[in-house]
Amino acid sequence: MSQSSVALPALRPRARRTLGGSLLVNELVTMFRRNRNLALLAALALIPVALGVAIKLSTHRGRNGGGFIAEVSNNGLFLVFAALSLTLPIFLPMALGVVSGDAISGEAAQGTLRYLLVAPAGRVRLLAVKGFSLVVFSLVSTAVVSAAALLTGLALFPGGQVTLLSGDSIGMGAALVKAVWITLLVAASLLGLAALGLFVSTLTDTPIAAMAVATGLTIAAGIMQAIPQLSAIQPWLYTYQWSSYADLLRDPVYLSNIEHNLLIQLGYVVVFASAAWARLTTRDVTS
């Protein structure tokens, strides 16, 4: 009798469902059914709503902010860009840091990791599924912010022509297309953090510790980016070009910063996904 056939009767419910069906589908369903993750997405959706209401009230009092916020009262679509600029430095990375830090360590803490590695779910396959699910969560969380901001902005403020940062004006349809591209770029900007969090989650059986490290490293990177004396290493930080999405609001589009951002994220994904693979494939999960 094989080892897997002995272990299967003792599998926990989630592990039995995983081995009996699609590992990827099960992972995505579990991710988006988890109350903690749903609460994170709900909190992200509330941020642009609160921001829109605050701008609406401040406009009535004759006060305006700067940057994208100053443009929201003239065109509700700018609430999408304002909300992304507000959530990208802190809230989106925090949500992704929590989910990515829990990816492997959460399974280890629950005692399901060794069962998930029973055939046909091998270590490489499990890691690939976890990584892809983090890509999906990054896209969904960013889309939630954009969708909530768009609905709130159009409900509270006028629409019409959109004035770009370069001074040109485009129609609402073209501006919506740009909003979609910006949402995709912001989601892609978080992939370096996702890979880093996935690697950290292979190092410990304590999810809270992995979440704290993934989130703390992002805070540390932001602090390092603000210190002039560290200018030599700043271009290598995964947070360095997070604001490059604003270049999509120019005509012509500035591609250099966007390309730099995507290359940084790709580099982090390759390095830390490889490190996560090396750690997970040599890790003793039998005990």
Side-chain angles (χ1 to χ4, degrees):
M1 184 177 294
S2 67
Q3 181 180 357
S4 60
S5 61
V6 173
L8 281 175
L11 294 184
R12 299 191 179 193
R14 184 183 173 224
R16 287 199 298 268
R17 291 196 302 270
T18 299
L19 295 178
S22 170
L23 183 63
L24 177 58
V25 172
N26 179 268
E27 178 65 25
L28 293 175
V29 170
T30 301
M31 172 180 287
F32 290 107
R33 279 185 177 177
R34 188 164 293 168
N35 292 334
R36 181 200 61 209
N37 296 346
L38 292 176
L40 289 172
L41 293 175
L44 288 173
L46 287 175
I47 292 173
V49 175
L51 178 61
V53 172
I55 295 174
K56 185 70 173 180
L57 294 176
S58 63
T59 301
H60 284 315
R61 296 169 185 169
R63 292 180 297 191
N64 291 311
F68 292 131
I69 293 178
E71 299 293 334
V72 173
S73 59
N74 298 322
N75 193 309
L77 184 60
F78 268 93
L79 186 60
V80 175
F81 313 134
L84 289 174
S85 67
L86 177 65
T87 55
L88 181 55
I90 301 175
F91 301 104
L92 281 170
M94 184 180 299
L96 189 60
V98 168
V99 177
S100 63
D102 184 62
I104 301 296
S105 60
E107 302 289 358
Q110 295 175 34
T112 57
L113 181 59
R114 58 182 173 271
Y115 298 127
L116 289 172
L117 298 180
V118 174
R123 301 188 184 213
V124 175
R125 183 185 174 200
L126 176 63
L127 190 66
V129 166
K130 291 289 186 178
F132 184 80
S133 67
L134 292 177
V135 174
V136 173
F137 186 84
S138 174
L139 181 59
V140 169
S141 59
T142 308
V144 164
V145 173
S146 296
L150 178 63
L151 294 175
T152 303
L154 296 181
L156 296 179
F157 305 100
Q161 292 286 112
V162 174
T163 303
L164 302 177
L165 298 180
S166 56
D168 302 284
S169 294
I170 59 175
M172 195 69 172
L176 285 172
V177 172
K178 282 187 174 290
V180 171
W181 279 112
I182 287 174
T183 300
L184 293 174
L185 181 57
V186 170
S189 299
L190 296 170
L191 296 185
L193 169 60
L196 178 59
L198 182 62
F199 168 64
V200 172
S201 73
T202 66
L203 301 177
T204 178
D205 294 346
T206 307
I208 294 179
M211 297 175 193
V213 170
T215 305
L217 287 174
T218 301
I219 296 174
I223 294 174
M224 294 169 65
Q225 192 171 318
I227 300 176
Q229 290 79 2
L230 299 178
S231 59
I233 65 173
Q234 288 170 356
W236 301 96
L237 300 175
Y238 60 88
T239 59
Y240 183 68
Q241 292 289 2
W242 271 3
S243 61
S244 63
Y245 68 88
D247 289 337
L248 288 173
L249 291 174
R250 304 180 188 276
D251 189 17
V253 174
Y254 292 174
L255 292 177
S256 58
N257 291 337
I258 295 174
E259 291 170 349
H260 184 194
N261 180 27
L262 294 177
L263 285 174
I264 290 175
Q265 305 310 321
L266 178 60
Y268 273 82
V269 167
V270 170
V271 170
F272 286 102
S274 300
W277 169 81
R279 167 60 178 164
L280 188 62
T281 53
T282 57
R283 179 175 176 176
D284 180 14
V285 295
T286 58
S287 57

